């Protein structure tokens, strides 16, 4: 959160509030000790936690209560109401939590006459409601982090993580959060500490977010948590028999457990001039900084590739008033993933913001001033951005002899074909219980959650990766959240108005519901996630094939 003084709203919860004003299953925003506090009631329990999501600061009172958790409506982080712990990424840090005290009406009257906190009957959190009962938010409680534990027999003493991105970082953090006291070494080819990649094409490029918002954690964080982070290093080989990895400079690191989280690499455009200095790719923080530096002086940009990255870059460059042309081989934007309606809508959205599209074609060359299209047409450009897709970075895994299938094949515990070697993030192809298929996705939240699950399994938990995939995109003031996975679908049903910026699109295959995309219907997106989770839980319990009918979320 920023240093600015947080604006408080709602009642001062330290002064007490009528229990009847928080019906079962509802939340109420208030404040305590100068901080925004969310009061939530579940049956006979009342909880008080910080009201601001630690990911990007969403107001949690607009999220979804589910059991003893609250889910954030923006990017689906999940917090424990009992402890404030960030149970699911993308939030990595907990919210605060407070002790809640309940007084029956008679006691309150009594207390009104003669109140001292110690004499007051205390029912922390638990309530048996009577008319006029009051709940108070009392002192802030300690964070839920578990203390460092001595290494138990059978726990791996040294974990090496190859990759300093979403999955690698989340895994290292989770190991420490779980009290792991062994050695953690994180080896990253990136020159910077793990960064918020989604920010690179959005806030950072458009200029609304500063460079300080890019690192996920500071250098000190890794030191404080004894995570031995090596930046700018390339792991070249894995010797699975000797249980060690080797770097390009010949240094070796032995491991007891290895996590491969090498992510994906941009596909390079193989045309003359694609290596000129004004031609950019966007994957690393260094790429992002170079692109921002160029955008500060550019007047006319050509973006080659019209998928999520290309379109987000287009929107961000328009925010800087740069003339933007987008070149793509498709004729309808994002048609395969989102369908023609959304594709046509996106095209109009961008055109309304001044973007010119050149679809159904490719670039054949670029020089210092222009990009030439297949038709021979030349587009003037002093900035070129190439976003024609990524490939999973699996060369290390291939060299190590791991099973490969358009990614690193892992089981439900994210363990590869070689025991003790795990894989997470953009490289991992895992058995998805919703579709019953092995899938691989390139989503930030999935990569972080896989890193967290892999950490648990490195600690011997045998925890299945049963999360529902989620991603989001932002272009201008348009935001879309997508829950589930529909690589192929045969029916897309739109409820609501796409043009009006208020709709949900459900993707089906063979009568089976596979994914839901929402536009400004955040709660509906969260409910879809819960609904899919229940399907997965049923499938996991019965190990059955997925059926289309899912129980509605409450
Ligand atoms: C600009 C941009 C915007 C995005 N926006 C979104 C979005 O809005 N929503 C969304 O869901 N997803 C988004 N994504 C995708 C998301 O960032 C990725 O899915 C996620 O980063 C994958 O995490 P990962 O840990 O698998 O890989 P990465 O985060 O790519 O990390 C891979 C790490 O491995 C390291 N590495 C690779 N090979 C080696 C080696 N041999 N030796 C040492 N280190 C190595 C790399 O240096 C890097 O540190 C975006 C991606 C980009 C680039
Ligand atoms: S702001 Fe809450 S998950 Fe992103």
């Amino acid at each position: 959160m920023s240093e600015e003084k947080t604006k408080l709203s709602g009642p001062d919860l330290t002064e007490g509030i009528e229990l009847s004003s928080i019906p079962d299953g509802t939340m109420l925003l208030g404040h305590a000790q100068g901080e925004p506090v969310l009061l939530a009631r579940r049956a006979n329990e009342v909880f008080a936690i910080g009201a601001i999501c630690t990911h990007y600061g969403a107001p949690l009172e607009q999220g979804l209560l589910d059991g003893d958790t609250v889910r954030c409506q923006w990017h689906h982080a999940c917090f424990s109401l009992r402890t404030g712990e960030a149970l699911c990424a993308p939030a990595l840090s907990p919210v605060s939590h407070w002790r809640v005290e309940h007084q029956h009406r008679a006691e309150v009257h009594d207390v009104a006459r003669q109140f001292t906190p110690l004499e007051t009957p205390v029912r922390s959190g638990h309530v048996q409601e009577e008319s006029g009962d009051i709940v108070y938010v009392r002192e802030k409680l300690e964070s839920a982090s578990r203390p460092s534990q001595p290494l138990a027999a059978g726990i791996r003493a040294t974990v090496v993580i190859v990759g300093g991105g979403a999955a690698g970082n989340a895994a290292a953090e989770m190991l420490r959060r779980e009290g792991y006291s062994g050695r953690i070494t994180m080896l990253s080819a990136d020159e910077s500490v793990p960064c918020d990649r989604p920010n690179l094409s959005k806030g950072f490029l458009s200029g609304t977010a500063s460079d300080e918002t890019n690192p996920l954690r500071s250098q000190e964080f890794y030191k404080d948590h004894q995570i031995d982070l090596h930046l700018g290093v390339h792991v070249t080989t894995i010797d699975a028999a000797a249980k060690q990895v080797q770097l390009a400079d010949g240094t070796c690191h032995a491991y007891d457990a290895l996590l491969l989280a090498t992510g994906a690499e941009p596909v390079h455009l193989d045309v003359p001039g694609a290596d000129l200095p004004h031609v950019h790719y966007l994957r690393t923080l260094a790429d992002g900084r170079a692109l921002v530096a160029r955008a500060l002086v550019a007047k006319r940009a050509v973006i080659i590739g019209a998928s999520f990255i290309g379109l987000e870059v287009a929107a961000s460059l328009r925010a800087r008033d740069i003339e933007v042309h987008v070149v793509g081989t498709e004729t309808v934007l994002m048609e395969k993933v989102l369908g023609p309606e959304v594709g046509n809508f996106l095209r109009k959205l961008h055109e309304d913001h001044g973007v010119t599209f050149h679809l159904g074609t490719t670039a054949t060359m670029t020089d210092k001033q222009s990009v030439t299209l297949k038709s021979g047409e030349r587009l003037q450009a002093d900035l070129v951005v190439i976003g024609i897709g990524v490939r999973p970075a699996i060369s290390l895994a291939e060299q190590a002899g791991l099973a490969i299938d358009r990614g690193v094949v892992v089981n439900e515990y994210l363990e590869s074909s070689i025991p003790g070697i795990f894989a997470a993030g953009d490289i991992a192809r895992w058995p998805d219980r919703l579709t019953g298929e092995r899938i691989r996705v390139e989503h930030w939240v999935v990569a972080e959650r896989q890193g967290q699950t892999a950490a648990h399994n490195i600690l011997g938990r045998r925890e299945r990766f049963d999360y529902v995939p989620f991603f989001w995109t932002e272009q201008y003031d348009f935001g879309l959240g997508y829950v589930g996975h529909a690589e192929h679908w045969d029916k897309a049903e739109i409820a609501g108005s796409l043009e009006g910026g208020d709709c949900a699109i459900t993707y089906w295959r063979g009568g089976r519901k596979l994914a839901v995309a929402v536009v400004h219907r955040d709660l509906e997106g969260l409910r879809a996630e819960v609904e899919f989770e229940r399907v997965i839980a049923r499938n996991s319990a019965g190990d059955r094939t997925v059926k289309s009918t899912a129980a509605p979320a409450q």
Side-chain angles (χ1 to χ4, degrees):
M1 281 173 64
S2 73
E3 305 240 314
E4 275 169 51
K5 204 159 184 291
T6 312
K7 217 169 142 215
L8 301 175
S9 45
D12 181 346
L13 300 169
T14 61
E15 290 179 0
I17 180 164
E18 290 254 355
L19 181 58
S20 57
S21 56
I22 342 162
D24 182 18
T26 65
M27 299 185 277
L28 184 140
L29 177 65
H31 56 93
Q33 299 154 14
E35 291 183 40
V37 170
L38 184 73
L39 210 58
R41 179 160 177 202
R42 263 294 173 212
N44 64 347
E45 287 184 279
V46 179
F47 307 96
I49 62 167
I52 307 292
C53 178
T54 55
H55 179 229
Y56 283 177
L60 287 176
E61 83 272 13
Q62 291 168 23
L64 183 73
L65 267 188
D66 181 50
D68 57 0
T69 68
V70 59
R71 298 182 189 221
C72 177
Q73 66 281 8
W74 286 2
H75 315 103
H76 295 205
C78 175
F79 296 92
S80 164
L81 290 173
R82 295 184 186 282
T83 63
E85 184 175 0
L87 298 172
C88 302
L92 297 174
S93 300
V95 289
S96 307
H97 71 301
W98 282 265
R99 188 169 68 81
V100 176
E101 200 176 287
H102 169 231
Q103 292 172 8
H104 287 304
R105 187 166 52 150
E107 292 158 356
V108 174
H109 289 167
D110 198 36
V111 166
R113 283 200 304 272
Q114 192 185 9
F115 176 76
T116 61
L118 285 175
E119 287 165 9
T120 308
V122 171
R123 285 156 188 79
S124 280
H126 283 267
V127 294
Q128 275 304 328
E129 186 167 359
E130 285 172 24
S131 160
D133 285 0
I134 307 284
V135 288
Y136 295 87
V137 169
R138 298 298 194 199
E139 73 277 7
K140 202 188 267 190
L141 300 168
E142 283 298 302
S143 105
S145 67
R146 286 166 271 302
S148 179
Q149 305 281 343
L151 279 181
I155 295 291
R156 291 144 163 150
T158 303
V159 177
V160 170
I161 299 170
V162 185
N169 177 74
E173 286 200 24
M174 184 53 82
L175 284 168
R176 286 294 182 242
R177 210 202 286 180
E178 291 293 337
Y180 176 69
S181 59
R183 192 183 169 87
I184 304 175
T185 302
M186 187 157 44
L187 305 167
S188 173
D190 288 354
E191 297 291 341
S192 55
V193 293
C195 80
D196 186 354
R197 283 191 214 293
N199 192 38
L200 298 180
S201 50
K202 305 178 185 70
F204 184 49
L205 184 56
S206 66
T208 55
S210 70
D211 205 351
E212 286 84 66
T213 60
N214 285 318
L216 293 177
R217 300 293 192 188
S218 64
Q219 284 273 10
E220 290 67 44
F221 176 90
Y222 298 98
K223 276 193 201 112
D224 292 349
H225 290 78
Q226 292 167 319
I227 297 166
D228 190 15
L229 176 60
H230 298 246
L231 296 173
V233 296
H234 285 263
V235 177
T236 50
T237 45
I238 299 169
D239 183 340
K243 286 194 162 187
Q244 66 173 24
V245 298
Q246 187 170 7
L247 306 186
D249 66 6
T251 322
C252 290
H253 292 267
Y255 64 82
D256 295 305
L258 176 66
L259 173 63
L260 287 181
T262 46
E265 298 154 343
V267 173
H268 280 247
L269 184 66
D270 189 15
V271 300
D275 53 357
L276 285 167
H278 71 305
V279 179
H280 293 254
Y281 291 86
L282 183 55
R283 183 76 193 180
T284 64
L285 180 53
D287 294 340
R289 286 177 176 152
L291 182 53
V292 166
R294 178 73 59 171
L296 289 174
V297 292
K299 299 262 177 300
R300 221 176 123 114
V302 170
I303 297 166
I304 303 172
S307 65
F308 287 117
I309 300 255
L311 295 177
E312 288 183 0
V313 167
S316 293
L317 294 181
R318 285 302 298 138
R320 290 181 181 269
D321 222 12
I322 295 170
E323 186 179 330
V324 173
H325 291 250
V326 175
V327 178
T329 50
E330 58 275 76
T331 47
V332 178
L333 299 177
M334 306 304 311
E335 187 177 17
K336 193 168 162 264
V337 185
L338 298 173
E341 290 85 358
V342 182
N344 292 331
F345 169 82
L346 282 173
R347 178 173 184 159
K348 181 160 184 321
L349 173 81
H350 280 269
E351 285 174 344
D352 287 349
H353 284 83
V355 173
T356 307
F357 284 96
H358 306 265
L359 297 180
T361 189
T362 52
T364 53
M365 69 165 286
T366 173
D367 59 29
K368 279 184 190 162
Q369 290 87 34
S370 67
V371 170
T372 306
L373 303 184
K374 207 170 171 189
S375 61
E377 186 184 357
R378 290 180 67 189
L379 307 174
Q380 296 300 308
D382 51 9
L383 165 61
V384 178
V385 184
I386 299 176
I388 54 172
V390 293
R391 275 195 204 99
I394 54 171
S395 56
L396 260 183
E398 284 174 326
Q399 169 275 320
L402 302 186
I404 301 290
D405 171 17
R406 297 157 292 151
V408 179
V409 176
V410 291
N411 63 16
E412 61 269 49
Y413 308 108
L414 304 180
E415 196 162 17
S416 74
S417 56
I418 298 185
I421 302 184
F422 295 78
D426 284 3
I427 58 167
R429 185 171 290 277
W430 82 98
D432 171 42
R433 290 203 173 242
L434 192 59
T435 53
E437 294 163 4
R438 288 189 163 278
I439 64 170
R440 187 185 70 76
V441 302
E442 291 152 5
H443 305 345
W444 181 257
V445 171
V446 172
E448 290 195 320
R449 292 180 180 181
Q450 288 193 339
Q452 295 177 331
T453 299
H456 286 148
N457 290 327
I458 285 170
L459 297 177
R461 299 276 170 81
R462 300 291 281 172
E463 179 183 302
R464 285 212 277 237
F465 184 77
D466 272 350
Y467 288 103
V468 180
F470 167 77
F471 75 81
W472 79 97
T473 182
E474 284 164 27
Q475 297 161 35
Y476 314 103
D477 58 356
F478 170 82
L480 177 138
Y482 181 103
V483 180
H485 183 72
E487 203 157 325
H488 310 286
W489 46 269
D490 50 34
K491 189 171 79 168
E493 264 176 355
I494 302 186
S497 161
L498 195 51
E499 289 69 27
D502 172 29
C503 71
I505 309 145
T506 306
Y507 298 90
W508 305 80
R509 186 175 71 223
R512 186 192 294 177
K513 187 183 201 174
L514 293 179
V516 176
V518 291
V519 178
H520 298 153
R521 286 196 184 182
D522 295 340
L523 269 182
E524 208 167 323
L526 283 172
R527 288 198 184 101
E529 183 175 75
V530 172
E531 180 182 329
F532 283 137
E533 280 173 8
R534 292 196 176 138
V535 177
I536 288 177
R538 284 207 300 273
N539 292 339
S540 300
D543 227 6
R544 301 188 303 261
T545 319
V546 179
K547 295 277 188 297
S548 62
T549 46
Q554 286 174 347

